[in-house]
Amino acid sequence: MSSIRHHNSMKSHNHGTYKSQSSRSSPVGVLVLHSLQEDADEESDIITMPSDVITSSCPALFSLEDILTDKTSNGDNVSVVSTEVSLSSIADFDEGASTSSSTFLEKVELNNQIPTPSGQSKAKSLTAMLNVELSSTMLTSIMDLTIPHTPPRVVGHRGHLYRSLENTRHSIKLAAEHCHEVEIDVFLLKCGTLVVFHGGGNDQNPGCLKDYCNINGSILDLSYEEARNLKFNPYHLEFGCGPDVIEQLAHEYYIPTLKEVLLDAKETGVIIKIELKGPGTPEPVLELVEELDMVGQVHYSSFDHSRIKRIRELRPERNPDGSHRYKTGALFDEPPENFIQIALDAGASEVHLKYSTCTTERVKMIHDAGMDSMIWMRGPVGMLHDVSNLFHDVGNEDERMYLAIMKTGVKAMCVNKPDVLAGLLTKQQAVNCI
């Protein structure tokens, strides 16, 4: 980040505000980093500069048009008026200073309102959307913690991505310290190797490497030897742990095989929820799980419901209590009216809903149909867009957001901050013991 910090268009002050000498007519980017240190200063230091300065100084950091178009609006074009770049809780911006190793991407927000695809402003209430009630104060109350439902299982989304690089062995093992389960993404490479990786793109074109590794192409184009040698782009905004962690733990960070991850999980005992991300994954994944004798420790899911249907066709066995021995989850982004029937037709034992669509009514429908429920959070950039532009009553995966979701009665929560959710459940347990 030094190329931005020392750019000649900026005026430097210690722990103060930097103003670009360039015209403010150009779009300006916003980046907010917060420290994980408990004693960190809560105030932010601000850098402001035109986006063309940012992208020309450090093109690997980000392109505003790419991020704000591709990431925050789900592919719908948005008009960027102006934003700011804010770096908080870092040492200095002087020559030779460096960011704290514990900083991480916390917020990408806009100085001016960015129109969402429907032209909405930040006026929605997540609690109202989910049809739950919380106290009017933003502080967690004892009444909020009093929830009649069984506490949800904590599931780490791609590991523990705010503390360690997503979908790596290090991140997954770290998540196992807080989680009942860990969700990972799996592709089958052209050489026949199963790997754990998410990548860019969409469900029709998954595994893109451009943002993740600064190269063109897809993970599907590579052999494992080639994939193993890829270097992650430390400045990709979807990597919530931040560049310092990625650079300091570079020796730990590579694309692992699914077998490596499963053997780690066998030692820790954590349940692994495998999203069958790429084509051709059901059969070889199933074969590997059975080879490692981990049938009871691995679940399967996909947005492509034909993949979990294939698992069910191959393994229809049930336990003595009637539950499926092989657990499968039907993933939905925006669930259609007949989502229950779709999940049942795929033989799903679980339904996985995006957190903002997990209403009390839908959760009840899932349970009444004999299936378990789980919510999934968007990645860091998507979540930050939502809390900055859509919801006025919750923070970015703070206790209040998690409480609102818990009150729906959902049975599992796949989150980016599993330590926060685990801590909240500890508080809830203490309240219930009073």
Side-chain angles (χ1 to χ4, degrees), residues 147-163:
I147 298 175
H149 312 292
T150 301
R153 299 187 304 279
V154 181
V155 184
H157 186 210
R158 309 178 198 166
H160 200 327
L161 60 75
Y162 273 107
R163 297 293 179 91

Side-chain angles (χ1 to χ4, degrees), residues 54 104 125 151 249-250 304 379 433:
I54 296 172
F104 66 100
S125 163
L249 295 176
D304 184 339
C433 291

Side-chain angles (χ1 to χ4, degrees), residues 81-95:
V81 181
S82 71
T83 57
E84 289 182 346
V85 173
S86 172
L87 299 170
S88 73
S89 302
I90 67 177
D92 282 312
F93 296 112
D94 295 310
E95 187 72 35

Side-chain angles (χ1 to χ4, degrees), residues 11 13 67 130 163 214 251 259 280 284 349 356 378 418 432:
K11 182 179 179 180
H13 302 282
I67 291 170
L130 301 184
R163 297 293 179 91
N214 281 329
H251 61 287
K259 185 172 185 178
S349 53
S356 56
R378 302 178 69 189
N432 291 338

Side-chain angles (χ1 to χ4, degrees), residues 36-301:
L36 292 173
Q37 296 173 346
E38 294 180 358
D39 59 349
D41 182 1
E42 294 182 358
E43 295 184 359
S44 296
D45 293 313
I46 307 295
I47 296 178
T48 305
M49 70 182 81
S51 62
D52 57 356
V53 173
I54 296 172
T55 54
S56 64
S57 301
C58 188
L61 181 58
F62 60 84
S63 162
L64 279 177
E65 298 297 335
D66 287 346
I67 291 170
L68 297 176
T69 299
D70 297 340
K71 304 294 185 186
T72 64
S73 294
N74 295 321
D76 292 287
N77 290 326
V78 294
S79 175
V80 182
V81 181
S82 71
T83 57
E84 289 182 346
V85 173
S86 172
L87 299 170
S88 73
S89 302
I90 67 177
D92 282 312
F93 296 112
D94 295 310
E95 187 72 35
S98 61
T99 60
S100 165
S101 62
S102 61
T103 58
F104 66 100
L105 175 65
E106 175 61 27
K107 188 177 291 184
V108 174
E109 61 186 358
L110 301 177
N111 202 22
N112 292 4
Q113 179 67 39
I114 288 185
T116 62
S118 58
Q120 298 164 329
S121 63
K122 184 178 177 180
K124 287 186 178 180
S125 163
L126 181 63
T127 54
M129 286 181 64
L130 301 184
N131 196 19
V132 299
E133 293 185 0
L134 290 179
S135 59
S136 58
T137 175
M138 289 297 285
L139 299 176
T140 302
S141 71
I142 291 180
M143 288 298 294
D144 291 334
L145 289 168
T146 306
I147 298 175
H149 312 292
T150 301
R153 299 187 304 279
V154 181
V155 184
H157 186 210
R158 309 178 198 166
H160 200 327
L161 60 75
Y162 273 107
R163 297 293 179 91
S164 183
L165 183 61
E166 65 170 53
N167 276 318
T168 59
R169 295 175 68 188
H170 184 271
S171 185
I172 295 164
K173 286 188 281 188
L174 193 62
E177 298 175 9
H178 301 283
C179 300
H180 304 97
E181 305 170 5
V182 178
E183 182 268 351
I184 62 174
D185 306 280
V186 171
F187 285 92
L188 176 67
L189 300 185
K190 64 182 183 181
C191 61
T193 303
L194 292 161
V195 295
V196 179
F197 182 72
H198 188 277
N202 52 40
D203 291 320
Q204 289 69 46
N205 185 33
C208 293
L209 298 170
K210 182 178 179 182
D211 292 335
Y212 271 63
C213 303
N214 281 329
I215 64 171
N216 293 323
S218 166
I219 190 74
L220 296 172
D221 302 328
L222 307 181
S223 67
Y224 181 61
E225 182 180 1
E226 293 168 328
R228 178 76 176 228
N229 290 325
L230 288 175
K231 302 298 181 184
F232 291 100
N233 170 17
Y235 296 106
H236 182 32
L237 290 184
E238 196 71 0
F239 295 157
C241 61
D244 283 352
V245 171
I246 295 173
E247 290 169 351
Q248 290 174 9
L249 295 176
H251 61 287
E252 294 272 6
Y253 293 153
Y254 59 88
I255 296 175
T257 65
L258 176 60
K259 185 172 185 178
E260 288 175 318
V261 169
L262 291 181
L263 288 174
D264 290 340
K266 201 167 187 178
E267 290 187 8
T268 63
V270 71
I271 289 175
I272 297 294
K273 299 183 90 69
I274 296 175
E275 182 179 342
L276 302 170
K277 197 77 175 173
T281 46
E283 290 87 349
V285 168
L286 191 60
E287 181 180 342
L288 177 61
V289 170
E290 292 178 336
E291 175 190 319
L292 297 177
D293 193 22
M294 295 182 68
V295 171
Q297 201 178 337
V298 176
H299 302 174
Y300 314 86
S301 68

